[in-house]
Amino acid sequence: MIKPMNDRVLVKPLNPETVTKSGIVIPDTAQEKPSKGTVVRVGPGRILSDGSVVELTVRENDTVLYAKHDGIPVKIEEEDYLVLKEDELLGIFE
């Protein structure tokens, strides 16, 4: 597994539903890119100009919301993940 640097987080995107409520199957090519995921790993925090480190708000196993086109996609052991900066996250689901 990879450990993110500084204020970055590693997120596992949650797969969108592949079948609608009425039973219509949505092919992979027509599905929207997920904007919800689970935080897998977090970096140590944001480094300030004086050298101090501010701990991240988000924690491992949090479910987060992010913009559809944010993050850097990475593949680790055949699994898809995103690396995002904490300030790219839009919210944490409670």
Side-chain angles (χ1 to χ4, degrees):
M1 189 56 68
I2 186 173
K3 180 171 174 82
M5 299 297 294
N6 302 329
D7 62 340
R8 290 178 173 78
V9 296
L10 184 67
V11 174
K12 174 75 173 146
L14 296 176
N15 292 329
E17 292 295 322
T18 57
V19 179
T20 65
K21 290 180 182 179
S22 60
I24 298 172
V25 176
I26 303 170
D28 290 342
T29 55
Q31 291 180 16
E32 289 188 21
K33 186 176 178 183
S35 57
K36 185 176 176 181
T38 303
V39 176
V40 178
R41 300 283 306 262
V42 297
R46 183 169 38 103
I47 300 172
L48 301 178
S49 59
D50 66 0
S52 61
V53 177
V54 176
E55 191 174 308
L56 300 182
T57 304
V58 68
R59 301 281 177 243
E60 291 179 9
N61 298 316
D62 282 349
T63 301
V64 294
L65 179 68
Y66 53 89
K68 292 185 186 305
H69 302 290
D70 279 351
I72 299 167
V74 294
K75 190 173 280 263
I76 303 170
E77 298 175 5
E78 302 302 315
E79 294 285 332
D80 293 322
Y81 295 91
L82 287 171
V83 176
L84 297 131
K85 292 187 93 171
E86 186 182 43
D87 64 0
E88 293 177 316
L89 299 175
L90 305 174
I92 300 171
F93 288 91
E94 294 182 335

